[in-house]
Amino acid sequence: MASSAAQIHGLGVGSGISSTSSRKPSFSFASRSVFFGQNLGKTTATFLKHTNNTSRRRYSTGPVRIVNEKVVGIDLGTTNSAVAAMEGGKPTIVTNAEGQRTTPSVVAYTKNGDRLVGQIAKRQAVVNPENTFFSVKRFIGRKMSEVDEESKQVSYKVVRDENGNVKLECPAIGKQFAAEEISAQVLRKLVDDASKFLNDKVTKAVVTVPAYFNDSQRTATKDAGRIAGLEVLRIINEPTAASLAYGFERKNNETILVFDLGGGTFDVSVLEVGDGVFEVLSTSGDTHLGGDDFDKRVVDWLAGNFKRDEGIDLLKDKQALQRLTETAEKAKMELSSLTQTNISLPFITATADGPKHIETTLTRAKFEELCSDLIDRLKTPVENSLRDAKLAFKDLDEVILVGGSTRIPAVQELVKKVYWKRSQCHCQPR
């Protein structure tokens, strides 16, 4: 397996990056290529094709009776989720009720007690920040002592129960939810949309989780499925699912590294792929690193500048914090294709002197400066996974970039600069 054959491919959506984007930049490292912008749902769909047979046989004392049951594959993401099913022998991403291939992992409760899930919940987040739950995947299966930093990044209240577990407070209905209860609402919508799309009841699913999820987090994910009325047939690591999607029907044996940077977690897996067999050699990761952390750097920068100029701390205003978070995510996405972006937040707050606004410009260089330590943190899990697999980068044939946060140019540059010689690297449009 010569190193000159190495390629990097991008699969996936996350951290707010749209799967429908037509932007697919590519790079070439001499005979090596880099591709970005494929669809995350393909990962779940192709994995489903490999691991699930939608026909289950039930035997009686009489003739054999074959009962067909639909089994879906679900990618329960921090920012967006997707569901796939087998149609005509091929994996198909299910379109939700809004006509989209991905569903925001957001749940909200109105003052009237109505529950909103998906895009409709995301749209009203600014006016209802304390009752809109997002990035819940970062809290699932965790103790409160593990999520001190994450709890400060959200506009809703994260509290500790008597056992030290994480609870999410919902003032609108006077109730506290476990993170898996909120995730269950997202799963329920995905399954309901899948049932309508397939015109068949869906009760069983395969669900992907980050490779670095511990037993508690995996169990909580299964519990979320159970609460949603689903039988979770199997939990599969997201990097493994990505390698299955990429390596399907490949005949040559290859060594693959999956670099999965999503909205809430970072995973790395090294796998041997060939002849339909996928062997995981090692996994590593960081469950406290994802697109949300890049967003927070922009939020803190905006809030810090505003406090310096106006003397007002916007981070203490739940509504302002939600607006800052949404704006930061949008700016991050725009900086993947632009060298600078304008940020405009009119009427962000008001004082006795009148309304206050934010009007500023964020350059890609400044964004990369704000996030430089986050970029550096990506190196350690990669190095650990290779060490555990007793391999070097020259032994890899493929590197698969998964997750929306891998569209950040600085992340792509890290792969180019650190893991390949610059003399072999040049860029070309695709």
Side-chain angles (χ1 to χ4, degrees):
M1 291 177 280
S3 61
S4 62
Q7 295 181 339
I8 301 182
H9 302 265
L11 300 170
V13 190
S15 191
I17 308 296
S18 170
S19 64
T20 58
S21 172
S22 60
R23 174 172 52 85
K24 297 183 180 180
S26 71
F27 303 89
S28 176
F29 305 90
S31 59
R32 304 166 176 169
S33 299
V34 185
F35 303 95
F36 301 97
Q38 301 296 322
N39 197 306
L40 174 74
K42 182 182 176 184
T43 297
T44 306
T46 309
F47 168 73
L48 185 65
K49 185 173 183 179
H50 279 272
T51 59
N52 297 282
N53 187 342
T54 55
S55 296
R56 289 179 170 265
R57 301 192 176 198
R58 296 180 181 174
Y59 296 90
S60 64
T61 55
V64 174
R65 180 183 173 215
I66 300 177
V67 178
N68 290 325
E69 293 181 310
K70 288 291 185 183
V71 180
V72 297
I74 296 176
D75 190 321
L76 182 61
T78 305
T79 310
N80 295 294
S81 297
V83 57
M86 297 300 295
E87 282 287 278
K90 294 182 179 181
T92 303
I93 301 300
V94 172
T95 302
N96 62 22
E98 294 76 35
Q100 301 298 315
R101 289 159 59 90
T102 58
T103 299
S105 303
V106 183
V107 176
Y109 286 84
T110 67
K111 294 179 181 179
N112 297 327
D114 296 329
R115 184 176 64 237
L116 309 174
V117 184
Q119 189 62 46
I120 189 172
K122 186 176 181 179
R123 280 201 300 264
Q124 55 84 70
V126 170
V127 296
N128 188 26
E130 293 185 340
N131 299 292
T132 301
F133 305 99
F134 58 93
S135 295
V136 171
K137 186 176 177 179
R138 305 195 87 173
F139 301 110
I140 196 166
R142 294 276 190 88
K143 295 289 186 180
M144 190 64 191
S145 58
E146 300 176 273
V147 295
D148 285 341
E149 191 60 34
E150 285 90 340
S151 64
K152 298 173 185 176
Q153 299 179 22
V154 295
S155 56
Y156 50 89
K157 192 172 183 180
V158 182
V159 298
R160 177 187 183 277
D161 70 5
E162 61 274 11
N163 298 316
N165 298 318
V166 171
K167 291 290 185 179
L168 313 179
E169 196 165 276
C170 182
I173 60 175
K175 185 177 178 180
Q176 291 182 351
F177 292 101
E180 48 265 40
E181 291 180 280
I182 298 297
S183 293
Q185 304 303 335
V186 177
L187 289 172
R188 185 70 261 161
K189 173 173 171 52
L190 294 172
V191 170
D192 287 345
D193 288 342
S195 296
K196 292 175 184 177
F197 181 86
L198 300 169
N199 197 27
D200 195 0
K201 186 176 181 180
V202 174
T203 60
K204 298 181 180 181
V206 176
V207 181
T208 63
V209 297
Y212 232 48
F213 258 24
N214 58 30
D215 288 342
S216 175
Q217 291 167 300
R218 291 169 189 269
T219 300
T221 302
K222 275 195 169 185
D223 288 343
R226 179 179 51 79
I227 295 168
L230 278 174
E231 179 184 349
V232 180
L233 298 178
R234 187 171 178 182
I235 294 288
I236 181 74
N237 289 344
E238 290 166 1
T240 304
S243 67
L244 285 166
Y246 171 71
F248 179 54
E249 295 181 342
R250 293 184 66 88
K251 297 181 180 179
N252 298 328
N253 292 328
E254 292 188 343
T255 304
I256 293 176
L257 184 141
V258 182
F259 185 104
D260 184 353
L261 182 60
T265 58
F266 174 49
D267 288 312
V268 181
S269 289
V270 179
L271 305 99
E272 287 282 358
V273 180
D275 297 324
V277 178
F278 303 82
E279 180 184 358
V280 180
L281 302 181
S282 66
T283 62
S284 186
D286 187 337
T287 55
H288 299 272
L289 178 60
D292 287 354
D293 299 288
F294 289 85
D295 296 345
K296 186 177 186 299
R297 294 302 168 87
V298 179
V299 169
D300 290 345
W301 177 71
L302 291 170
N305 288 345
F306 191 83
K307 186 175 183 179
R308 183 193 63 220
D309 297 338
E310 303 291 345
I312 301 172
D313 187 358
L314 294 177
L315 299 181
K316 295 181 179 179
D317 183 334
K318 296 292 186 182
Q319 193 171 68
L321 176 59
Q322 184 62 38
R323 289 184 67 188
L324 287 172
T325 301
E326 291 186 1
T327 299
E329 181 185 25
K330 181 173 179 286
K332 176 190 67 179
M333 292 167 60
E334 290 178 349
L335 289 173
S336 292
S337 57
L338 304 173
T339 56
Q340 68 177 39
T341 181
N342 294 321
I343 295 175
S344 177
L345 285 167
F347 302 97
I348 189 67
T349 190
T351 66
D353 298 328
K356 301 293 181 180
H357 320 290
I358 293 179
E359 290 286 344
T360 188
T361 298
L362 177 61
T363 64
R364 183 186 292 178
K366 183 62 178 179
F367 174 73
E368 292 176 356
E369 177 190 327
L370 295 172
C371 303
S372 60
D373 62 313
L374 300 179
I375 299 296
D376 287 339
R377 280 171 59 186
L378 297 173
K379 299 176 186 177
T380 301
V382 175
E383 293 164 354
N384 289 344
S385 64
L386 286 172
R387 185 184 63 248
D388 293 343
K390 297 180 173 59
L391 295 173
F393 257 87
K394 63 182 177 60
D395 300 317
L396 298 175
D397 298 288
E398 314 278 357
V399 177
I400 305 175
L401 299 185
V402 184
S405 298
T406 59
R407 291 197 181 190
I408 297 172
V411 175
Q412 299 175 10
E413 184 65 25
L414 174 75
V415 179
K416 291 167 57 182
K417 182 169 61 177
V418 177
Y419 304 124
W420 274 273
K421 294 179 181 178
R422 270 205 172 276
S423 60
Q424 295 177 307
C425 168
H426 67 275
C427 299
Q428 63 181 28
R430 184 184 180 198

